[in-house]
Amino acid sequence: MEVDTCIASLIQYGLDCGLIEPCDRTYLINQLLQTLKLDSYHPAEPAKLPLEEILRQLLDDAVRRGVCGSDSTSRDLLDTALMGVLTPRPGEVRRRFAALFRESPEAATDWYYRFSQDTDYIRRYRICRDMRWKTATEYGDLDITINLSKPEKDPKAIAAAKNAPQSGYPKCQLCPENEGYAGRMNHPARQNHRIIPIRIAGADWFLQYSPYVYYNEHCIVFNAEHVPMKIDRSAFAKLLDFVTVFPHYFVGSNADLPIVGGSILSHEHFQGGRYCFPMETAPVETELSFRGYQDVKAGIVRWPMSVIRLNSTDRESLTELADKILRVWRGYTDEEAFVFAETEGEPHNTITPIARRRGENYELDLVLRNNITTPEHPLGIYHPHAELHHIKKENIGLIEVMGLAVLPSRLKGELEALAGALLSGADIASDPALAKHAPWIAELQTRHVFTAENTLPILQEEVGQVFRQVLEHAGVYKQTDAGRSALLRLIETINQA
């Protein structure tokens, strides 16, 4: 297809999505020509093609002309620049959001989520490639995903990023300065990125969506200032304030310590959205009462990790009690349960908090975390142990804590290769790419008879069971009589404080 037809098709896409107006046509064609380093355009009829195909053809032409590198990162930088041409200015986006918010918070986020997809900031055609299934466990159905939408750098891109000049701007990928940024080989382009200013607990914050949307309306709420993550009383107040402003969303925070925290600890942020995670539907198995907080309904959740659930109409009572639990937990040691507040001056105890609304009530789930390591478990006692690393080695952050596995993209090809090897009788242990799975597969062969019809479904089911074990490993207090007794000792200590 001719470049002129592709440009006409991209302009038509912007019109169809409401990103641009007919009077913008000539101006934006010229902006696209500038971005593509072209100096002429012949009017053409738009073709009925999906956005991905329009961009692919424009990029292919740019690569042939030497305007764009052939590696994946260079192509992403250029197609984001093209979409940035069609994306309205921040002021226009913010005014539209504010007008819709006056109708309802839900109307505002509905529009903003669709807008973030229409601008290709959220790449629909990549998200739909993700693999998703549910696995039934004694804790309820767990959500399993293999993430294929987050681009993996090819060798050329990795080499280019290594050789790229280092820059301190923006300070991180969450900073407001990312809005409109052209990107570089080691930092994503964000010309089509628009953020929404909000007030949280009297301070300036911003709302955006994750470009990788691990679940429906996966949003990120981040401090306007580049300040580090910190779980304290103010964090609980901020979470509860957010669900007051956006009652149709949940919001949670990663913990603030390495190993049990998220991938970005340097910039205070939360994650939320409109999705019911498995942990939200998990029942309370042991009711609790906290002295002085009769207006708060409390209990221990039946979940592989250690979760204290608080529910009340009174935000202030929830904030006070959550803060008390955190303060006691920060300093709590129980050697019998292998819980140590600190070793050699390094703190270990923290909390992963999640807030939501239950009708008029507020609810906080406080997930107890501990990041202590040992020579036997150098990545953490309460972290997936080595025998599970063939499936999941990365930190167990907020999303996994709530029961949604975000597994690495390598697993798609590895599971397909394992299925083929099981059916052909190939030696899995001798395959460098698959050998790490050999002990797991050997154990599965003692429980299953594999056929052409059932092999891949069985492997997916068993991956889900490995994720269940991952969560059990990450739980400080195990689902055993000893674990339950130890957790009740903590509750008693909180009540005595």
Side-chain angles (χ1 to χ4, degrees):
M1 187 168 64
E2 295 292 332
V3 172
D4 292 336
T5 302
C6 290
I7 290 174
S9 302
L10 191 56
I11 292 293
Q12 188 61 49
Y13 171 87
L15 290 167
D16 292 343
C17 292
L19 298 175
I20 63 177
E21 299 179 34
C23 62
D24 299 327
R25 187 189 302 269
T26 300
Y27 171 81
L28 293 177
I29 286 172
N30 287 330
Q31 293 297 303
L32 291 172
L33 291 176
Q34 180 181 1
T35 304
L36 291 165
K37 293 183 169 50
L38 295 168
D39 55 15
S40 64
Y41 170 78
H42 302 285
E45 286 297 314
K48 293 186 181 297
L49 290 173
L51 177 62
E52 180 183 21
E53 182 60 20
I54 297 169
L55 293 173
R56 185 190 68 77
Q57 295 201 30
L58 287 171
L59 294 175
D60 287 349
D61 175 77
V63 171
R64 284 192 296 269
R65 292 185 292 108
V67 170
C68 176
S70 61
D71 61 274
S72 58
T73 300
S74 294
R75 292 175 68 97
D76 276 2
L77 290 172
L78 181 55
D79 71 6
T80 304
L82 293 172
M83 292 307 300
V85 170
L86 303 184
T87 303
R89 295 285 180 91
E92 182 181 339
V93 175
R94 295 176 185 190
R95 285 190 294 273
R96 180 73 183 276
F97 186 91
L100 288 168
F101 189 88
R102 287 191 288 271
E103 295 179 20
S104 75
E106 193 169 350
T109 56
D110 282 351
W111 171 80
Y112 181 45
Y113 188 56
R114 185 174 61 254
F115 170 85
S116 298
Q117 296 172 79
D118 290 343
T119 62
D120 209 35
Y121 171 70
I122 297 172
R123 298 173 184 252
R124 292 184 178 103
Y125 46 86
R126 289 184 181 171
I127 303 299
C128 69
R129 297 171 190 158
D130 291 349
M131 295 177 63
R132 302 175 184 272
W133 69 91
K134 292 183 180 290
T135 297
T137 74
E138 60 263 47
Y139 308 106
D141 289 350
L142 299 180
D143 292 329
I144 312 299
T145 69
I146 295 178
N147 182 258
L148 303 172
S149 56
K150 191 171 185 177
E152 294 210 9
K153 294 182 183 293
D154 56 38
K156 288 182 182 178
I158 292 170
K162 181 179 179 181
N163 296 326
Q166 296 301 305
S167 170
Y169 181 89
K171 290 181 180 177
C172 76
Q173 291 189 27
L174 289 178
C175 284
E177 290 79 12
N178 282 279
E179 187 177 38
Y181 185 61
R184 51 186 190 268
M185 292 304 293
N186 55 9
H187 193 101
R190 291 290 183 254
Q191 290 102 319
N192 57 349
H193 180 39
R194 299 294 180 264
I195 58 180
I196 302 298
I198 59 176
R199 295 282 289 176
I200 297 294
D204 290 332
W205 284 59
F206 287 98
L207 172 70
Q208 68 175 62
Y209 288 105
S210 165
Y212 312 117
V213 286
Y214 295 143
Y215 52 85
N216 186 50
E217 298 184 43
H218 178 182
C219 70
I220 300 172
V221 190
F222 58 101
N223 197 317
E225 301 295 324
H226 184 78
V227 296
M229 299 283 291
K230 186 176 183 182
I231 301 299
D232 57 10
R233 179 193 175 100
S234 71
F236 302 133
K238 291 166 189 172
L239 293 173
L240 293 170
D241 198 31
F242 179 85
V243 295
T244 301
V245 178
F246 298 95
H248 59 299
Y249 275 7
F250 84 91
V251 70
S253 175
N254 271 304
D256 55 355
L257 293 179
I259 297 177
V260 296
S263 58
I264 300 179
L265 296 178
S266 62
H267 195 133
E268 185 182 23
H269 69 284
F270 307 139
Q271 296 182 76
R274 193 185 323 202
Y275 188 73
C276 182
F277 282 84
M279 192 175 79
E280 181 179 341
T281 62
V284 167
E285 66 175 0
T286 304
E287 292 188 0
L288 302 173
S289 62
F290 290 96
R291 192 168 58 247
Y293 297 92
Q294 287 76 18
D295 58 340
V296 178
K297 186 178 179 181
I300 298 170
V301 179
R302 176 161 176 71
W303 193 245
M305 300 187 70
S306 308
V307 185
I308 299 171
R309 178 168 291 165
L310 309 177
N311 185 295
S312 177
T313 57
D314 189 331
R315 288 167 55 187
E316 187 60 28
S317 285
L318 280 183
T319 302
E320 286 184 8
L321 179 52
D323 181 52
K324 180 178 181 179
I325 291 170
L326 173 66
R327 285 186 285 106
V328 171
W329 175 239
R330 290 275 197 199
Y332 184 76
T333 291
D334 182 346
E335 294 188 14
E336 182 183 344
F338 206 82
V339 171
F340 295 88
E342 57 88 21
T343 55
E344 299 180 354
E346 179 186 352
H348 296 306
N349 293 344
T350 185
I351 279 175
T352 299
I354 300 102
R356 65 181 73 90
R357 300 295 295 273
R358 298 272 196 186
E360 294 300 310
N361 284 25
Y362 292 87
E363 189 165 271
L364 273 177
D365 280 351
L366 306 178
V367 187
L368 305 176
R369 311 300 301 276
N370 180 290
N371 74 347
I372 193 168
T373 62
T374 66
E376 182 183 1
H377 299 292
L379 296 182
I381 286 282
Y382 307 111
H383 178 86
H385 295 175
E387 67 269 21
L388 306 183
H389 288 178
H390 65 107
I391 298 295
K392 178 71 174 178
K393 184 179 181 179
E394 299 79 10
N395 289 359
I396 305 306
L398 170 69
I399 296 171
E400 286 91 358
V401 162
M402 295 186 290
L404 190 156
V406 181
L407 301 178
S409 60
R410 64 173 171 82
L411 276 177
K412 179 180 186 293
E414 289 175 5
L415 291 179
E416 291 169 351
L418 286 170
L422 280 165
L423 294 173
S424 68
D427 181 10
I428 291 170
S430 66
D431 185 325
L434 302 180
K436 59 181 173 289
H437 297 293
W440 177 56
I441 293 297
E443 192 278 326
L444 297 187
Q445 287 176 310
T446 67
R447 296 190 282 113
H448 298 286
V449 176
F450 291 98
T451 68
E453 291 73 27
N454 72 10
T455 298
L456 203 52
I458 287 174
L459 291 177
Q460 289 185 346
E461 166 67 20
E462 293 293 346
V463 165
Q465 297 302 334
V466 170
F467 180 59
R468 169 187 56 79
Q469 292 178 272
V470 162
L471 294 181
E472 289 173 340
H473 286 189
V476 176
Y477 296 102
K478 308 307 179 187
Q479 288 286 330
T480 63
D481 289 343
R484 294 183 184 96
S485 296
L487 179 49
L488 290 175
R489 290 199 296 273
L490 168 65
I491 301 302
E492 182 58 28
T493 302
I494 294 168
N495 264 322
Q496 291 174 354

